[in-house]
Amino acid sequence: MSKRSPAVFFIFITLLIDVTGFGIIIPVMPKLVMTLLGEGATLSMAATYGGWLISSYAITQFFCAPIVGGLSDQYGRRPVLLGSLFGFGVDYLFLVFAPSIGWLFIGRIVAGAMGASFTTAGAYIADISTTENRAQNFGVVGAAFGLGFIIGPMIGGLLGDLGPRVPFMVAGSLTMINWLYGYFILPESLKPENRRPFSWGRANPIGTLTSLWQYPVIAGMLVALTFLYVAVHAVQSNWSYYTMEKFGWGPKEIGISLAVIGFTFALVQGVFIRKIIPALGQRRSVYFGLGFYAAGFLLYAISTQGWMMYAFTIVYCMGGIAGPAMQGIMSGVVPSNAQGELQGGFTSLMSLTAIFGPPLMNNLFSFCTRPGGPIYLPSAAMLLGSFLTIICVILARQTLKKYVKEEGKGS
């Protein structure tokens, strides 16, 4: 084992706990919110608050990510990573002991700021990697994300049956143990001669997106992706409330189902994608994946039995082919020295849509399920997700037509 391995292992555990902590929340959040709202609280009321809770996390993370990255460039990776971990531990304490819904929002805002540690973790990996092992070390990041989105909901669902706050006790304990481990073990990776002063000019989350607007194909595809990224919150943000309302699921069933979705997505993007995209080509893979997404949302909406949600998950997760195909097309448009900027643009766009997507989907669900409301349609968010995906298909097709014409002129 090389001397760098303990540091890479620490980064893997840190990211795994971060992602797992986010996944843990999803199955138990509806019950926790209803508990804090008090007697008479309904699932539709909890959905509204749940959407804004996710949005508050995303807003803070969106604005704090470049700030945290800049601070790590000036003061080093170690203090920023340890501070982020400690902040996550504090957030879990808020979730465990929060006496009101307001305290829950404070905790989520703290977590959003601390969740920007992904930026610093990536910088740490870059610091300690060589040309030979850089790809392997960055694979740790992807593995942590994939594994966290599988085991997080599973843990949250299983422990949630013991009480809506129990999963946060476990997650908080793991976070503080990891913080202690890092405090005594983690070395600093950024040498003093490689540091630079913090600049507010560089801490601009909008700048990356606006700079990419000079490429017409990129601009068109980013607009299309905006509709897709909002659409997926019909599942990511609304799944717990929808399945509780329609099928009477509890935290255990919700957690297991989300773990199945995470595993299926990992299978599609880790195995199937290597065969399908080369066989179909990038453009056809975009249409292929988006078609499965639209069909998946629709099938979720018309499901009448709980087992159907598992069966239709295969269709929905096949949509995961579209994202990498779209990114592949866009990465072929920008020069090699702007690839990092492009990836930063994807991250900024996902953060932006995570601000607006959860309130949109959850408020729509709330409106269509509230007692005495004008309409009862629990599947409204799923239907909207399918509609937004169809818009994404239309926009992507128009953009890719121009891309083909430009390629023809260039050749």
Side-chain angles (χ1 to χ4, degrees):
M1 184 178 292
S2 72
K3 64 181 181 180
R4 297 185 187 274
S5 294
V8 175
F9 178 74
F10 175 82
I11 296 298
F12 171 77
I13 295 298
T14 297
L15 293 177
L16 179 62
I17 289 176
D18 287 357
V19 178
T20 299
F22 183 81
I24 280 176
I25 293 173
I26 300 174
V28 296
M29 185 58 75
K31 283 194 173 182
L32 180 58
V33 172
M34 285 192 287
T35 299
L36 293 175
L37 290 176
E39 189 177 352
T42 63
L43 188 61
S44 60
M45 292 170 58
T48 298
Y49 280 97
W52 288 113
L53 280 166
I54 298 174
S55 181
S56 65
Y57 177 95
I59 290 171
T60 316
Q61 188 176 59
F62 177 71
F63 286 105
C64 286
I67 295 174
V68 169
L71 290 174
S72 75
D73 285 339
Q74 177 171 346
Y75 298 107
R77 318 299 187 202
R78 173 185 157 88
V80 174
L81 278 171
L82 292 178
S84 295
L85 270 177
F86 190 82
F88 258 112
V90 171
D91 169 56
Y92 288 126
L93 288 177
F94 272 105
L95 294 171
V96 171
F97 298 108
S100 67
I101 196 72
W103 284 97
L104 208 60
F105 274 97
I106 294 173
R108 288 286 79 197
I109 290 170
V110 171
M114 298 303 104
S117 61
F118 294 123
T119 304
T120 309
Y124 193 106
I125 291 287
D127 292 340
I128 66 174
S129 298
T130 64
T131 303
E132 291 76 20
N133 65 11
R134 181 171 287 112
Q136 180 182 357
N137 285 347
F138 271 108
V140 167
V141 177
F145 269 86
L147 189 59
F149 276 117
I150 293 172
I151 67 175
M154 181 75 76
I155 293 174
L158 295 176
L159 296 179
D161 279 347
L162 303 176
R165 299 177 191 257
V166 173
F168 305 117
M169 297 179 188
V170 175
S173 300
L174 291 174
T175 300
M176 297 313 294
I177 291 172
N178 194 36
W179 175 79
L180 282 172
Y181 172 80
Y183 183 83
F184 291 106
I185 300 297
L186 185 71
E188 177 55 62
S189 65
L190 186 64
K191 297 178 180 178
E193 61 269 23
N194 293 332
R195 301 184 185 187
R196 65 178 181 179
F198 177 82
S199 169
W200 284 106
R202 289 191 296 266
N204 178 12
I206 304 293
T208 302
L209 284 173
T210 55
S211 65
L212 291 171
W213 219 250
Q214 61 182 300
Y215 307 103
V217 173
I218 300 294
M221 294 298 276
L222 287 177
V223 173
L225 276 172
T226 299
F227 284 90
L228 178 62
Y229 287 164
V230 172
V232 297
H233 281 284
V235 171
Q236 292 180 3
S237 302
N238 193 243
W239 182 270
S240 300
Y241 304 95
Y242 175 58
T243 54
M244 286 179 70
E245 177 70 21
K246 194 165 186 178
F247 307 113
W249 284 3
K252 182 179 178 180
E253 292 84 0
I254 294 169
I256 293 173
S257 64
L258 288 171
V260 170
I261 291 177
F263 175 79
T264 309
F265 257 119
L267 189 64
V268 168
Q269 298 201 331
V271 179
F272 294 171
I273 205 171
R274 300 175 185 272
K275 302 290 185 181
I276 294 175
I277 291 182
L280 296 179
Q282 289 182 332
R283 283 196 303 120
R284 288 181 179 176
S285 295
V286 169
Y287 304 140
F288 183 81
L290 292 177
F292 272 106
Y293 261 140
F297 284 123
L298 183 60
L299 291 171
Y300 280 153
I302 63 175
S303 297
T304 57
Q305 301 290 330
W307 65 265
M308 294 181 179
M309 302 297 282
Y310 287 93
F312 296 150
T313 287
I314 299 172
V315 177
Y316 173 76
C317 290
M318 286 296 290
I321 295 166
M326 295 173 83
Q327 290 186 24
I329 290 172
M330 287 187 277
S331 66
V333 173
V334 301
S336 58
N337 62 358
Q339 293 296 327
E341 187 177 29
L342 177 62
Q343 300 306 315
F346 291 139
T347 302
S348 297
L349 184 61
M350 284 189 286
S351 298
L352 269 177
T353 53
I355 295 172
F356 304 107
L360 172 65
M361 295 302 180
N362 284 25
N363 277 284
L364 178 61
F365 171 85
S366 178
F367 177 80
C368 293
T369 58
R370 68 187 184 189
I375 186 174
Y376 182 75
L377 187 64
S379 59
M382 295 294 181
L383 293 172
L384 178 59
S386 184
F387 176 72
L388 292 176
T389 305
I390 292 172
I391 294 177
C392 176
V393 174
I394 295 171
L395 294 174
R397 188 168 185 272
Q398 291 176 342
T399 300
L400 290 176
K401 278 184 178 180
K402 298 177 183 177
Y403 172 66
V404 171
K405 289 180 180 178
E406 289 178 7
E407 273 193 323
K409 292 178 181 178
S411 61

